[in-house]
Amino acid sequence: MINIGMVRRHDSGSSIGRLATAFMVAIGWLSLTINSASADSLRPVGLQVEYLVNPLGLDEAQPRLTWRVESNERGQLQTVYRILVSSSSATLAANQGDLWDSAKVLSDETLNVSYAGQPLVSRQQCYWKVCVWDKNGKARWSDPAMWTMGLLHAEDWRADYISFRDTTPVFSKKDSLFLPPAQQYRKEFAVVKKVRRATIYATALGIYELHLNGARVGDALFAPGWTDYHQRAYYQTYDVTSLVTSGRNAIGAWVADGWYSGYLGFGLLTGIGTEKIGRSTYGKTPALLAQLEIEYTDGSRETIGTDKTWKISADGPIREADFLMGETYDARQEMSGWVRAGFNDTQWQSAILAAENGSSLSTFYEWQNPTTPGEKLEIKGRPIDLGFKRPAKLEAFPGLPVRAIEEIKPVAITSPTNGVYIFNLGQNFAGVVRLKVKGPAGTKLQLRYGEMLYPDGRLMTENLRKARATDFYILRGDKDGETWTPRFTFHGFQFVEVTGYPGKPQPDAITGIVLHSDTPMTSNFECSDPIANRLFKNVVWTQRANFLDLPTDCPQRDERFGWTGDAQIYVQTATYNADVAAFYTKWLRELMESQRPSGTFPGYAPMPFQHGWDFGTAWCDAGIICPWTIWQAYGDTRILERCWPNMVAFLNWRKSTSTNFLGVAHGNEWGDWLAVGEKTPLEYVDTCYFAFSANLMSQMAAALGKAAEAAEYAALFANIKQSFGKKYLQPDGMLAVDTQTAYALALFMDLIPADVRDKTGQRLAAKLRGGETATNSGMTTGFLGTRPLLPVLSSVGENDLAVKHFQSRKFPSWGYEVSQGATTIWERWDSFTKDNGFQGNNGKQNAEMNSFAHYSFGAVCEWMMGNLAGIRRDGPGYKKILIYPQPPTPGSNQEGEPIHWVKAHYDSVAGRIESNWKRTATRFELSITIPANTSGTVYLLAKDVASIRVGQRALAKAEGVKFVRMQGDRAVLEVQSGKYNFSSEIGSKL
Ligand code: BGC
């Protein structure tokens, strides 16, 4: 049984963390004695390597080291740093950087300092700390941290990919499912000498879960993650020193289909992929590659790797194990002690090398772009061999593992029909359940999952399409009761329908277990409007439901793809809500690798099979927008270097498809997907995105010191802007394409010259206002136009309208959705309405195309944090911060009270930024926090300088603040790091 008892929240330690903690406690006292500085001086904290805390098994030759500095004192700065990296904790404690001593570096840099010491070798243990000097020259060491290196050379791998002998034919039926059991792999070995360190390196074609001497190894789920396994696979590294014992030992693993060979996306629904059923996408038979390395205290090393001496069984309890379809567990088939020494495995088969399964010929179907004019876009088949192929590259997993993060208790149990119980968990999320049950052996329970109920109380599953999303549990008949949690599947749900439960279930029969990539959450937002507060929670829940190894469109139905359009719309919001640096570092590899031969980026990455054209306008631009955003949020220029050749190829493709610097209508016609009532022509959208991508390229080139390219892309952007102006912009600021999305995109992407911006903005505002009726909010934007809608309104003097629309409860709007009962962001504004159920606002909606956890419209969070709370960066990495809160004018909304206070924070890569404000008709109060070693510019609402107070003091007497100028209704102030309470009077004209 999976040990979910250990579920933890983000802030508690993982097994890696626990090891590191023990190490820190051991030598922590030494660091303290070195630190002589006062409590006010600068403290280096939050040490990360490649965005990870104490990571194991890196394969970067020069890992990048990051820390934060904290101080209680205003205006504290880091003036100098010194990094020590040592080969042992004792050497580090003695302040000897035998691997690297950076010496004192005069620098305020805290982000991504590249290791520049002795070449690092496979398995190297690195212990490190940083000393920072503050502005007064006081020095302080950080606590120690660590990382280890993985296997850097192909020769380091002594193990082979192994499999069971697979004699099943390639499955090709469309009207039934093929759901093979998860396989158990095991091997025993002896340890006779004293162990210094034991490490497992492992991967699978499929998904795996490791065990050693009866204990689960690590807590990662769905390892090794999704890649295009033909090109690349990831491996994980685990420290198992504490699990290895002297004498006989047993290592084991579960291996299931996962993304590699299970049902994937909408392959079955749309008739594509292998044999048109969307399973066996990368191969037919899962395989395991693992190697346990034991280092003995005498310096010798032994490797126990996967090979033909391992034993495999398919007779265990996990009878079905499919990501989309669900898991079937027959507890009667549990093999107690199978990963303990002495277990009788004589009935188990011997493993074979994965390659020995030979070839398995089949046909792979996918859409193909026409190659000659006039030819149709159609699905074509091609022969493939589903036999084992060694991934071309094996890389250390660069992301954050999926973990069990939180548990949820049911809020209600109903029984729509006899013997059927529905547990309402009160929150839509992605994950699994823990089932608790007692009853006779052989009793079979069925668990179906859904996001919603029909009005008559039945479970709604139409929107899952071909995802069966059903688990089965067969009891072993334990008189003390039994508990179970599936291992190799997950679902998107709020409701669990249980059939076959013996007796009447108690509330603890079902517990929800929330799963997602363990990205630390980094923000909070509260304000005077409770609907907006629920909306913020809904955005965060939807992010958590979709950040599961990759950013997906939805967790419930048969898609779960890394849709690129959704990703680029949402990426800025994602960086506000969580530390997604490592998560995107991983997915950007998949995105770059999925670049099409033409140079464009696909509609989703990884791209297992093509659907329609291999690209779509605005979806393909994710290849530029996502790296740009990650650079901006985390100050990461290496990600830009790595993506650079692909990004250049993309811009070349964009240039080659354009005439006269204008966009074209080509590819998949998603455009302003799910727009309500207005259609924006694709060539218009394409022109905007062409310009946007060129502009961002120019900025990224400059950041990489590529001056010529920066100028070249700046010129390209200027040319597109000019062509855009000629074709679409009228002198009065109106656009030839008169849709809200057209205005929102043009303003957001800087296509409107400064002198007409306000007029163009007013036209947008007039359209939004003009469309408003007693029941309709007036908004017409879809996925693409909604993200920039409120930011541009707030930037063109229409902030009151932006806030009013944000607070609207009319269709379509965020408030409408929340008032219909949403606990997550829905794919459509009216995915469910109290009046029409799943038929939408107009009564005609397709209930099948209706996800209740789709993050795109949640991109409004970017405006909530950046405009309403006013927390923004002023350049990459939040080294400079802009505090620019935009409260609405009291009385500006006839429908309700405009938001009059906001309390928000964001844990940026530089530290916590806070903005809390309150506004009355005559006064404005603003409390802010600017992290140490950064500075800020505050745009404070004030009628004049004289009325500004900082705490109790007049502005002129306040420490750390400098008045720069009055700008309209605001005082512009430069502030040093620290906490400030501002108050001001505001003029009646506001
Ligand atoms: C997905 C979207 C995606 C779209 C392309 C849908 O099926 O769920 O979020 O971007 O297809 O238009």
Side-chain angles (χ1 to χ4, degrees):
M1 223 122 299
I2 182 169
N3 184 1
I4 286 288
M6 269 177 38
V7 165
R8 47 171 211 83
R9 300 196 61 99
H10 287 109
D11 46 2
S12 60
S14 62
S15 53
I16 296 170
R18 279 190 296 275
L19 275 170
T21 313
F23 150 72
M24 283 170 195
V25 171
I27 68 165
W29 66 272
L30 237 175
S31 320
L32 283 177
T33 58
I34 294 166
N35 289 330
S36 56
S38 74
D40 283 345
S41 68
L42 217 51
R43 297 178 296 275
V45 295
L47 274 62
Q48 291 187 339
V49 187
E50 292 297 327
Y51 299 123
L52 302 166
V53 178
N54 299 318
L56 301 182
L58 299 183
D59 61 1
E60 289 290 345
Q62 294 180 295
R64 295 165 306 161
L65 313 181
T66 292
W67 60 95
R68 278 192 332 271
V69 284
E70 288 180 350
S71 170
N72 302 330
E73 214 183 308
R74 268 192 196 159
Q76 259 304 0
L77 295 172
Q78 172 186 299
T79 52
V80 177
Y81 72 79
R82 179 182 171 202
I83 295 169
L84 291 182
V85 184
S86 313
S87 58
S88 74
S89 52
T91 324
L92 184 71
N95 285 343
Q96 284 164 20
D98 58 337
L99 292 174
W100 187 37
D101 181 345
S102 72
K104 284 168 115 181
V105 182
L106 274 171
S107 169
D108 62 357
E109 190 57 87
T110 58
L111 300 181
N112 289 321
V113 175
S114 285
Y115 170 86
Q118 300 293 321
L120 297 172
V121 298
S122 293
R123 313 171 181 90
Q124 178 90 53
Q125 287 174 293
C126 305
Y127 299 84
W128 75 288
K129 60 184 178 180
V130 59
C131 187
V132 300
W133 279 258
D134 72 6
K135 66 177 180 185
N136 306 315
K138 285 187 191 161
R140 194 174 176 112
W141 282 108
S142 70
D143 284 341
M146 62 169 298
W147 81 89
T148 68
M149 298 303 286
L151 300 180
L152 305 181
H153 312 287
E155 316 79 81
D156 291 327
W157 286 95
R158 306 269 206 75
D160 281 308
Y161 279 94
I162 56 168
S163 281
F164 53 95
R165 187 163 297 284
D166 185 0
T167 51
T168 54
V170 178
F171 192 74
S172 60
K173 292 197 188 125
K174 290 172 191 63
D175 50 2
S176 60
L177 299 173
F178 179 59
L179 302 170
Q183 309 263 344
Q184 282 157 282
Y185 290 54
R186 79 181 299 277
K187 157 98 188 162
E188 289 193 21
F189 58 95
V191 169
V192 286
K193 293 190 275 184
K194 209 165 169 322
V195 176
R196 190 181 84 80
R197 177 161 76 134
T199 311
I200 302 180
Y201 305 91
T203 185
L205 298 173
I207 19 183
Y208 74 92
E209 184 186 294
L210 286 177
H211 292 250
L212 189 61
N213 292 332
R216 166 101 152 82
V217 173
D219 55 5
L221 295 163
F222 312 137
W226 189 3
T227 55
D228 177 343
Y229 301 97
H230 294 163
Q231 308 209 38
R232 205 156 40 81
Y234 293 125
Y235 68 90
Q236 280 78 21
T237 302
Y238 308 90
D239 186 323
V240 290
T241 314
S242 62
L243 296 180
V244 172
T245 55
S246 84
R248 298 293 298 166
N249 287 257
I251 181 172
W254 288 97
V255 183
D257 288 343
W259 295 279
Y260 176 77
S261 52
Y263 285 96
L264 195 60
F266 48 40
L268 180 59
L269 180 79
T270 61
I272 53 177
T274 299
E275 299 297 333
K276 299 191 178 178
I277 61 162
R279 77 182 306 287
S280 302
T281 304
Y282 297 97
K284 179 159 165 283
T285 315
L288 175 72
L289 174 73
Q291 107 179 11
L292 164 64
E293 295 189 355
I294 307 179
E295 292 167 47
Y296 296 107
T297 46
D298 66 4
S300 62
R301 192 165 63 213
E302 196 175 348
T303 302
I304 293 104
T306 41
D307 61 19
K308 290 163 96 163
T309 65
W310 285 53
K311 296 297 248 348
I312 303 185
S313 171
D315 298 330
I318 305 184
R319 307 312 309 150
E320 297 178 343
D322 190 87
F323 241 5
L324 276 174
M325 304 306 170
E327 195 161 310
T328 295
Y329 191 92
D330 187 342
R332 296 169 303 181
Q333 289 183 227
E334 280 172 356
M335 300 192 234
S336 163
W338 69 280
V339 269
R340 288 193 187 280
F343 176 81
N344 179 359
D345 62 13
T346 46
Q347 297 303 308
W348 291 35
Q349 23 164 326
S350 291
I352 58 167
L353 298 185
E356 288 171 5
N357 266 320
S359 55
S360 186
L361 299 178
S362 176
T363 313
F364 192 85
Y365 296 87
E366 60 182 336
W367 292 80
Q368 276 179 27
N369 297 356
T371 45
T372 49
E375 198 189 330
K376 267 195 3 223
L377 174 73
E378 57 187 352
I379 298 177
K380 288 186 185 160
R382 64 182 153 81
I384 45 153
D385 183 354
L386 296 175
F388 169 76
K389 274 182 220 73
R390 179 179 287 275
K393 282 182 261 172
L394 193 51
E395 296 173 354
F397 180 70
L400 288 156
V402 176
R403 291 195 171 109
I405 305 289
E406 188 179 337
E407 296 197 352
I408 309 185
K409 289 189 170 49
V411 293
I413 307 173
T414 51
S415 179
T417 41
N418 242 350
V420 176
Y421 295 94
I422 295 189
F423 290 72
N424 177 359
L425 290 155
Q427 173 63 53
N428 197 17
F429 67 100
V432 287
V433 295
R434 180 171 59 238
L435 168 73
K436 248 182 111 175
V437 60
K438 191 152 89 176
T443 311
K444 186 171 183 177
L445 266 64
Q446 172 184 280
L447 284 74
R448 295 201 306 143
Y449 300 83
E451 296 182 288
M452 299 291 282
L453 298 184
Y454 289 112
D456 65 4
R458 282 174 308 123
L459 190 72
M460 195 287 209
T461 55
E462 275 167 271
N463 68 334
L464 307 182
R465 303 189 313 209
K466 296 282 184 195
R468 188 187 70 176
T470 306
D471 299 330
F472 296 95
Y473 181 79
I474 302 157
L475 277 72
R476 62 176 178 270
D478 194 321
K479 65 175 179 8
D480 297 325
E482 26 205 299
T483 58
W484 171 70
T485 296
R487 282 186 174 84
F488 295 119
T489 194
F490 74 93
H491 313 289
F493 65 103
Q494 173 175 338
F495 299 93
V496 190
E497 180 207 77
V498 181
T499 309
Y501 199 91
K504 191 168 182 272
Q506 295 304 302
D508 68 350
I510 291 289
T511 305
I513 296 173
V514 180
L515 308 181
H516 55 84
S517 292
D518 198 359
T519 56
M521 305 314 285
T522 50
S523 64
N524 196 30
F525 178 95
E526 280 176 84
C527 70
S528 55
D529 182 349
I531 292 260
N533 296 341
R534 180 66 233 189
L535 176 76
F536 177 76
K537 291 196 172 74
N538 292 4
V539 174
V540 172
W541 271 109
T542 312
Q543 177 163 335
R544 295 174 68 187
N546 280 294
F547 277 43
L548 199 141
D549 193 62
L550 70 159
T552 61
D553 56 334
C554 51
Q556 72 299 86
R557 70 173 176 230
D558 51 354
E559 285 202 52
R560 297 176 174 174
F561 281 141
W563 280 100
T564 47
D566 310 44
Q568 65 87 357
I569 289 162
Y570 189 77
V571 59
Q572 173 56 52
T573 291
T575 67
Y576 271 131
N577 287 336
D579 175 353
V580 293
F583 179 83
Y584 269 92
T585 300
K586 183 222 170 239
W587 185 66
L588 285 175
R589 286 196 197 173
E590 271 66 77
L591 179 57
M592 293 303 126
E593 194 174 76
S594 67
Q595 185 161 38
R596 312 318 299 152
S598 62
T600 190
F601 290 105
Y604 41 81
M607 189 174 168
F609 28 64
Q610 182 174 327
H611 184 257
W613 286 83
D614 65 350
F615 71 99
T617 290
W619 271 249
C620 57
D621 297 277
I624 303 296
I625 298 166
C626 294
W628 180 88
T629 309
I630 296 304
W631 161 51
Q632 286 285 316
Y634 304 104
D636 187 342
T637 48
R638 199 189 64 192
I639 199 90
L640 302 185
E641 273 158 29
R642 299 257 164 107
C643 298
W644 187 252
N646 303 79
M647 296 196 294
V648 169
F650 173 69
L651 262 287
N652 287 341
W653 170 81
R654 266 209 160 286
K655 283 190 271 184
S656 72
T657 59
S658 147
T659 327
N660 295 332
F661 301 107
L662 289 167
V664 271
H666 60 167
N668 292 315
E669 283 186 53
W670 300 314
D672 191 25
W673 184 240
L674 302 186
V676 190
E678 274 187 341
K679 191 165 163 35
T680 308
L682 194 58
E683 67 268 23
Y684 177 92
V685 176
D686 201 60
T687 307
C688 293
Y689 272 91
F690 183 21
F692 195 44
S693 283
N695 189 1
L696 302 188
M697 274 301 268
S698 159
Q699 296 175 32
M700 291 188 281
L704 292 178
K706 299 175 187 292
E709 284 100 320
E712 189 192 310
Y713 289 115
L716 177 62
F717 172 59
N719 284 329
I720 304 168
K721 188 167 175 174
Q722 203 181 26
S723 287
F724 172 90
K726 266 196 217 144
K727 181 158 180 192
Y728 295 112
L729 185 61
Q730 298 168 12
D732 60 359
M734 265 189 66
L735 290 168
V737 175
D738 191 33
T739 65
Q740 291 178 24
T741 288
Y743 288 100
L745 289 179
L747 287 161
F748 190 74
M749 296 175 174
D750 193 18
L751 287 163
I752 308 293
D755 52 336
V756 276
R757 247 188 100 76
D758 281 358
K759 283 194 232 156
T760 306
Q762 272 134 36
R763 175 67 195 151
L764 169 61
K767 281 188 64 81
L768 181 58
R769 272 196 199 97
E772 195 180 353
T773 63
T775 54
N776 196 292
S777 76
M779 176 169 63
T780 63
T781 51
F783 272 24
L784 302 182
T786 300
R787 175 201 175 188
L789 182 67
L790 301 191
V792 303
L793 284 172
S794 290
S795 78
V796 293
E798 293 285 356
N799 188 57
D800 284 345
L801 176 64
V803 182
K804 175 172 180 270
H805 180 60
F806 175 66
Q807 291 187 263
S808 174
R809 276 51 161 164
K810 295 177 189 168
F811 172 80
S813 71
W814 297 275
Y816 176 80
E817 191 177 289
V818 173
S819 64
Q820 302 304 307
T823 63
T824 35
I825 300 294
W826 297 344
E827 184 170 20
R828 299 164 189 271
W829 302 109
D830 55 349
S831 286
F832 173 81
T833 71
K834 288 179 178 161
D835 293 340
N836 290 329
F838 302 104
Q839 271 59 56
N841 201 53
N842 59 7
K844 292 186 192 144
Q845 203 133 282
N846 172 7
E848 284 199 0
M849 188 62 186
N850 217 341
S851 144
F852 290 86
H854 234 74
Y855 54 57
S856 289
F857 287 140
V860 69
C861 207
E862 164 180 351
W863 173 85
M864 294 163 74
M865 294 299 287
N867 297 77
L868 254 189
I871 297 174
R872 291 186 229 171
R873 57 176 179 265
D874 194 1
Y878 289 86
K879 184 84 182 106
K880 287 197 158 169
I881 289 154
L882 208 58
I883 301 288
Y884 199 135
Q886 292 183 272
T889 312
S892 58
N893 185 353
Q894 302 317 311
E895 282 162 22
E897 193 181 14
I899 289 168
H900 57 93
W901 62 263
V902 165
K903 192 170 179 326
H905 75 253
Y906 168 47
D907 290 325
S908 76
V909 74
R912 176 160 294 195
I913 307 168
E914 280 178 292
S915 169
N916 304 328
W917 60 257
K918 261 193 224 161
R919 177 181 184 164
T920 64
T922 55
R923 285 188 67 74
F924 187 60
E925 286 171 27
L926 173 69
S927 311
I928 63 166
T929 304
I930 302 287
N933 202 37
T934 71
S935 60
T937 307
V938 179
Y939 285 75
L940 182 73
L941 274 180
K943 68 172 190 201
D944 53 25
V945 191
S947 74
I948 301 176
R949 291 278 169 285
V950 186
Q952 301 305 315
R953 296 188 181 182
L955 179 62
K957 300 214 168 112
E959 189 202 332
V961 197
K962 209 174 86 195
F963 172 73
V964 183
R965 61 177 187 277
M966 286 301 295
Q967 188 178 307
D969 55 8
R970 286 166 189 266
V972 182
L973 312 171
E974 293 295 341
V975 295
Q976 298 176 354
S977 67
K979 288 181 184 294
Y980 300 86
N981 295 319
F982 297 103
S983 60
S984 58
E985 285 174 22
I986 46 184
S988 53
K989 69 177 187 328
L990 301 169

